[in-house]
Amino acid sequence: MERFRAMKMMDISATRELPELERLRAAAAIAQAMIPGSAIGPAADEQTVLHTERFISRTLPESLGAFRAAHRALSQAARAYTGRRFEELSPDEADALLQRWTVHPILGKAVNLLGVLYRVTHFSQPELLQKHAPLPTVQNVEQPRWLSQTAAARDFDASEPLECDVVVIGTGAGGAVVGRHLADQGLAVVFVEEGEHLRRNDFPGTLTGTLSEVYRNTVSIGNAPIMIPQGRLVGGSTAVNGGSSFRPPRWVTDRWCEEYGSAEFSTDALEGYFDRTESILQVEKADTRYAGPLHNIFTRGASELGWHSDVIARNAPGCRGEGFCDFGCKTDARRSTNLAYLPTAFEKGAFMLYGLRAERVIHDGRRATGIEAVALERDRSICLAENGKPKRIRIQARAVIVAGGALNSPLFLAKQGIGNSSGQLGRNITLHPSGPVTGLFDEKIDSAKYIPQADYSFEFLKEGLLLLSAGSDYQTTAPLLGLLGKPLVEVLEQQNHLAGIGYLLAEEARGRIRLGPKGLPVLTYNITKRDMQRIQRALVLCSELLFAAGAREVFPGLLKPMRLKSKADVEALARASLSPSDLIVTSYHPLGSCRMSQDPRQGVVDLNHECHDLKGLFVVDGSTVAGPLGVNPQITIMALATRAAERIGALLNAS
């Protein structure tokens, strides 16, 4: 292992100046203490640091300075504690100091956040993946006829504007669905997608590759940093999710009817739209033959406790659990919108330009008449035309539909000063926060070989808590464990015996997204005291289920290390003084940032999804769905987009 590290250091030394080498050595010493060598593979080293910095530069570039500053702060702290720099400590001394820091009231935050980053990046490196989770080879990818209806904007002749009835910005759960149904009505539709058109052989297959190449990542500012990854590719987030398909509870649709002053959003009134959506998606319960031991554990634990549990209905007919869904489906078993909706639209004459970022809505002050967009290279840099200027494409349309998602759509409108006469643009955001709990079992689980999410419990749904099974591999397990150093690798060496459960919270908190310095998005969101109490309860409930199923140790989703080995430990977790900043928490379901209302003073769009401030401009995506739903929102967004297509089509056909 030392020879391996020395060879890597020689490669780095050949291309870097001494001060940079010293910085890397100092950072690598911290990284190595966080992830020491083990049976899993070599320790983190200088290459891990460089890999992490490249990852940050691609996903959250504004955070790179803080990442480096955290290392400097810890090096100085080591001097204060030991009189020596961190890289001068022996491995045992470094581990002892690291474990001491993880529970420090101030240093613990920096240490544990750095630890999350290194746990994300280290286990995505090629040599480790090749050993533990070699990427599948995909061959003989189909070349359907409808591909002729798609083009990369960088290769498209932009000399003349395109003309159509409707231009749709975005191809996810909102855009692809509303566009397909408008094409069904005989309208000429052009889809504009900022991301690339990835076929099943194009997905990176790694956690860092997926986050940096396939997702757009936003981190909230508040009492807990919450990362919100959203799909940036044809199909949007529907192409990189688990396919869980829940209808919203009746109390949610009752709330909508009251808020909107309309019975059109009742469960009964929306039933036909949900039926149609589920039929197109071919939603069916997961085949438990491919759910694996994790299904047995979830069912066994819930049964022991007398809780409800059932198998999740998914838009993945024929799925055999052959990969981690959030990295992209290698078999096309999941019917994401790029498979279930767009091809039908193309067969009706619709056209799609991908690698094209919408820049502005063209309008005359009263009505939208099209958009102007800029072509992008594969690396997301701006494509230059032959004259050396950005390659721009104009699309003239009778209607413009914005469907960029709950975080992107309000920013797109805000940049142009459109849609905020009510003051509600970018407000009212719900995130549906989620977090993990992991159990260690004697039995072999191998959850990476099966459907990652096959089971759920509605036992506590009225309290706002949804519990789900959550399978993972080395890449995705490591960031979810609040462990560092020797304890981390000792647990990961037993990866095949780990089982995960996730919780989702229908929260009371509301966030806001707006443009910050240099036009960067700023999302503010604070977990409330009541929400924190319910999250802590969720951690306890998940721990109880895992112990009831036979776990010998449980790791709640906290940044600081906590290991539960008995019922008494679970009771201690329930009594523990936890704060939002202690949580490992993410969000995949942002909603509500372009509020729907009949009253222009209270909302961004009306009940037909048309912008109050500009006729012919519509917003159809998660931003117009009033959350939280308490369940995964995918088919709700799709069903409401199906309804929106009826309304928009009627307006266009009447004009």
Side-chain angles (χ1 to χ4, degrees):
M1 186 177 298
E2 288 304 316
R3 187 167 67 90
F4 175 83
R5 284 173 48 78
M7 290 174 64
K8 283 193 170 185
M9 198 63 222
M10 288 172 61
D11 292 341
I12 295 170
S13 299
T15 58
R16 295 188 178 267
E17 299 296 330
L18 186 60
E20 176 70 354
L21 282 174
E22 291 177 348
R23 182 187 71 79
L24 280 176
R25 288 192 182 106
I30 294 171
Q32 183 177 5
M34 290 182 169
I35 306 178
S38 68
I40 301 171
D45 57 15
E46 292 84 359
Q47 291 286 6
T48 303
V49 176
L50 292 173
H51 182 55
T52 305
E53 292 189 348
R54 286 193 296 268
F55 170 71
I56 294 172
S57 296
R58 286 186 60 82
T59 55
L60 297 167
E62 62 275 12
S63 302
L64 184 58
F67 174 78
R68 291 176 173 174
H71 287 87
R72 291 194 295 270
L74 293 180
S75 292
Q76 293 172 359
R79 281 182 178 273
Y81 273 78
T82 68
R84 289 175 289 163
R85 293 178 298 181
F86 197 93
E87 59 267 34
E88 295 172 340
L89 302 178
S90 71
D92 287 341
E93 290 172 327
D95 186 69
L97 183 58
L98 183 68
Q99 301 305 328
R100 187 176 176 185
W101 281 349
T102 59
V103 294
H104 190 279
I106 298 175
L107 291 175
K109 305 298 182 186
V111 168
N112 292 319
L113 286 173
L114 274 183
V116 170
L117 279 169
Y118 280 131
R119 294 196 300 267
V120 165
T121 58
H122 181 74
F123 295 99
S124 290
Q125 294 186 93
E127 56 266 28
L128 283 174
L129 286 178
Q130 190 59 35
K131 179 179 179 180
H132 297 290
L135 300 179
T137 300
V138 179
Q139 297 178 331
N140 302 319
V141 176
E142 304 78 4
Q143 299 297 318
R145 183 178 57 188
W146 54 257
L147 283 175
S148 63
Q149 295 296 107
T150 73
R154 55 187 164 269
D155 301 324
F156 186 74
D157 181 3
S159 57
E160 296 291 335
L162 281 171
E163 295 184 7
C164 60
D165 292 314
V166 183
V167 58
V168 182
I169 304 169
T171 58
V177 175
V178 69
R180 175 252 169 95
H181 289 308
L182 288 170
D184 285 343
Q185 297 176 44
L187 295 167
V189 176
V190 172
F191 294 98
V192 169
E193 171 58 54
E194 179 180 351
E196 292 295 308
H197 187 191
L198 301 185
R199 309 295 303 286
R200 61 190 181 92
N201 61 320
D202 293 324
F203 291 103
T206 66
L207 178 57
T208 53
T210 301
L211 286 172
S212 60
E213 298 174 31
V214 179
Y215 283 108
R216 183 197 311 273
N217 303 285
T218 305
V219 177
S220 67
I221 297 172
N223 56 9
I226 302 176
M227 187 169 181
I228 308 105
Q230 292 190 289
R232 176 165 42 189
L233 72 165
V234 174
S237 294
T238 74
V240 281
N241 69 19
S244 299
S245 300
F246 294 101
R247 294 191 182 193
R250 184 175 289 271
W251 60 79
V252 171
T253 56
D254 288 346
R255 168 167 58 84
W256 290 347
C257 291
E258 183 177 352
E259 287 182 6
Y260 302 151
S262 171
E264 292 185 28
F265 294 87
S266 69
T267 295
D268 293 340
L270 294 175
E271 184 174 9
Y273 301 115
F274 278 99
D275 288 344
R276 188 174 181 186
T277 300
E278 290 170 348
S279 175
I280 292 171
L281 294 176
Q282 299 178 28
V283 171
E284 60 183 36
K285 284 190 175 183
D287 188 335
T288 55
R289 291 178 299 172
Y290 305 108
L294 180 56
H295 161 69
N296 300 330
I297 285 170
F298 193 96
T299 303
R300 184 168 71 232
S303 177
E304 283 289 321
L305 296 167
W307 296 354
H308 162 271
S309 72
D310 202 352
V311 177
I312 294 174
R314 306 171 68 233
N315 62 319
C319 173
R320 298 186 177 187
E322 298 176 72
F324 190 63
C325 305
D326 291 6
F327 292 171
C329 185
K330 295 286 188 179
T331 66
D332 279 349
R334 178 190 50 223
R335 286 180 57 77
S336 44
T337 59
N338 54 302
L339 299 174
Y341 280 88
L342 291 176
T344 303
F346 298 145
E347 290 170 1
K348 298 292 178 65
F351 185 67
M352 177 177 70
L353 285 170
Y354 57 89
L356 183 64
R357 184 172 64 217
E359 296 273 274
R360 68 183 184 95
V361 176
I362 302 169
H363 61 90
D364 59 10
R366 293 176 298 177
R367 187 171 190 87
T369 58
I371 68 165
E372 184 174 272
V374 63
L376 304 176
E377 299 289 358
R378 290 184 183 275
D379 63 2
R380 300 200 291 269
S381 63
I382 292 177
C383 175
L384 300 180
E386 291 182 0
N387 61 7
K389 296 181 179 180
K391 181 177 182 178
R392 300 190 181 278
I393 296 176
R394 290 172 67 93
I395 303 174
Q396 297 172 352
R398 296 165 59 201
V400 175
I401 298 178
V402 178
L407 302 186
N408 303 316
S409 289
L411 292 175
F412 174 71
L413 297 176
K415 287 177 182 178
Q416 303 167 76
I418 296 174
N420 198 30
S421 63
S422 65
Q424 296 300 314
L425 185 67
R427 296 181 182 271
N428 312 300
I429 293 176
T430 58
L431 293 183
H432 205 200
S434 63
V437 179
T438 305
L440 178 60
F441 287 77
D442 290 326
E443 64 191 279
K444 195 171 184 179
I445 298 167
D446 278 336
S447 63
K449 297 180 180 179
Y450 301 96
I451 296 171
Q453 195 172 85
D455 298 273
Y456 73 100
S457 174
F458 274 177
E459 185 70 25
F460 306 97
L461 192 63
K462 287 191 175 180
E463 297 179 37
L465 297 175
L466 171 63
L467 307 185
L468 302 159
S469 60
S472 58
D473 62 6
Y474 284 95
Q475 296 181 80
T476 49
T477 296
L480 305 181
L481 297 171
L483 302 174
L484 291 172
K486 293 178 182 178
L488 171 66
V489 294
E490 287 170 0
V491 173
L492 286 179
E493 285 174 351
Q494 305 171 80
Q495 160 67 28
N496 293 335
H497 294 263
L498 295 175
I501 296 179
Y503 66 82
L504 289 163
L505 171 69
E507 78 273 39
E508 67 176 15
R510 296 294 184 270
R512 180 187 180 191
I513 192 164
R514 57 191 183 276
L515 296 171
K518 299 181 181 179
L520 294 173
V522 175
L523 172 61
T524 51
Y525 182 94
N526 285 292
I527 294 174
T528 68
K529 181 178 180 180
R530 179 169 177 266
D531 286 344
M532 184 63 220
Q533 291 170 344
R534 290 190 293 163
I535 288 175
Q536 188 162 352
R537 174 162 165 73
L539 294 173
V540 169
L541 293 172
C542 292
S543 300
E544 289 177 346
L545 190 151
L546 288 166
F547 275 123
R552 55 185 166 92
E553 192 168 5
V554 169
F555 310 91
L558 300 172
L559 287 170
K560 60 185 181 182
M562 181 177 287
R563 306 177 74 158
L564 312 180
K565 298 186 178 182
S566 66
K567 182 179 179 181
D569 289 343
V570 178
E571 292 171 351
L573 170 62
R575 297 190 304 270
S577 178
L578 299 178
S579 68
S581 61
D582 292 323
L583 300 172
I584 296 174
V585 60
T586 54
S587 165
Y588 301 94
H589 306 151
L591 298 173
S593 55
C594 293
R595 174 186 275 177
M596 186 185 293
S597 175
Q598 296 192 67
D599 186 347
R601 298 169 299 178
Q602 300 296 323
V604 177
V605 299
D606 64 19
L607 302 193
N608 293 327
H609 293 256
E610 189 168 25
C611 182
H612 285 298
D613 295 356
L614 190 64
K615 294 299 180 184
L617 175 64
F618 300 83
V619 183
V620 184
D621 56 21
S623 70
T624 58
V625 178
L629 307 185
V631 295
N632 304 49
Q634 174 176 267
I635 66 165
T636 299
I637 298 171
M638 291 178 166
L640 292 178
T642 305
R643 175 189 175 276
E646 280 189 2
R647 302 305 193 273
I648 296 169
L651 290 171
L652 291 176
N653 290 326
S655 62

